[in-house]
Amino acid sequence: MRSSVRAILVSLVLLTVLAGLVYPLLILGLAQAFFPEQADGSLVRRDGRIIGSTLIGQQFDDARYFWGRPSATVPTPYNAAASSGTNLAPSNPQLAKDVAARCTALVKAHGNSADPIPLDLVTASGSGLDPHVTVAAMLYQVDRVAAARGIDPSAVRALVERHIESPAFGFLGQRRVNVLAVNLALDAY
């Protein structure tokens, strides 16, 4: 009995050290060595100050900027510590109300545009943190952003097209655009 307890305790300590310290530190070291930007959160800096991340969406509501997907994190939008989806079924009346309200706001903000509203502008993602939207969602907003900035819409459209990212590995997902990257490019325009 005594030798069994000792073996159990030694195994517990050994596995705790290996799985709880050695392995995480090894992975952290490898990540810092080979992928330092990603390991640090893919942070975007301007003038030495962190202004965002390419991996987490941000709240943009000024007409001069492109808007991303609605965030499902409450009470603060795009809060990575509160990542979650809405968990509302398609048949849930609250989801229908939320989508209708977002559609109304988008139509109003875009001069009562008759263009179909891309789904990702009115529904949150599974994480509630997506930094990307579809190409259609960006193109839907081009005229609003161009008018608010006093820029030719074709120049804004060309800026969006320069920021289109291909599907991961060429086949996973769809073409998408990082909202923060385009908004930063607009500010530098």
Side-chain angles (χ1 to χ4, degrees), residues 15-29:
L15 288 173
T16 299
V17 169
L18 284 174
L21 291 174
V22 174
Y23 178 75
L25 290 174
L26 174 69
I27 296 302
L28 177 64

Side-chain angles (χ1 to χ4, degrees), residues 94-106:
Q94 185 60 48
L95 179 62
K97 286 181 191 175
D98 292 347
V99 168
R102 291 172 185 149
C103 286
T104 301
L106 281 168

Side-chain angles (χ1 to χ4, degrees), residues 15-158:
L15 288 173
T16 299
V17 169
L18 284 174
L21 291 174
V22 174
Y23 178 75
L25 290 174
L26 174 69
I27 296 302
L28 177 64
L30 290 172
Q32 287 292 337
F34 294 106
F35 308 103
E37 181 185 336
Q38 292 89 338
D40 290 337
S42 300
L43 300 176
V44 177
R45 296 179 192 331
R46 181 185 282 168
D47 300 324
R49 195 175 61 109
I50 297 172
I51 60 169
S53 169
T54 60
L55 301 175
I56 298 176
Q58 292 187 24
Q59 182 74 29
F60 290 101
D61 50 17
D62 186 327
R64 298 170 33 86
Y65 292 102
F66 285 95
W67 302 335
R69 281 189 92 150
S71 176
T73 62
V74 288
T76 307
Y78 304 101
N79 177 0
S83 174
S84 68
T86 60
N87 295 327
L88 298 177
S91 60
N92 188 307
Q94 185 60 48
L95 179 62
K97 286 181 191 175
D98 292 347
V99 168
R102 291 172 185 149
C103 286
T104 301
L106 281 168
V107 168
K108 182 178 177 186
H110 291 88
N112 293 320
S113 172
D115 293 338
I117 298 172
L119 188 61
D120 53 330
L121 288 179
V122 294
T123 58
S125 67
S127 69
L129 303 174
D130 281 3
H132 296 90
V133 294
T134 60
V135 175
M138 291 298 274
L139 295 178
Y140 178 84
Q141 302 177 72
V142 163
D143 290 337
R144 172 185 49 83
V145 172
R149 288 182 175 262
I151 301 173
D152 181 22
S154 62
V156 176
R157 184 172 285 105

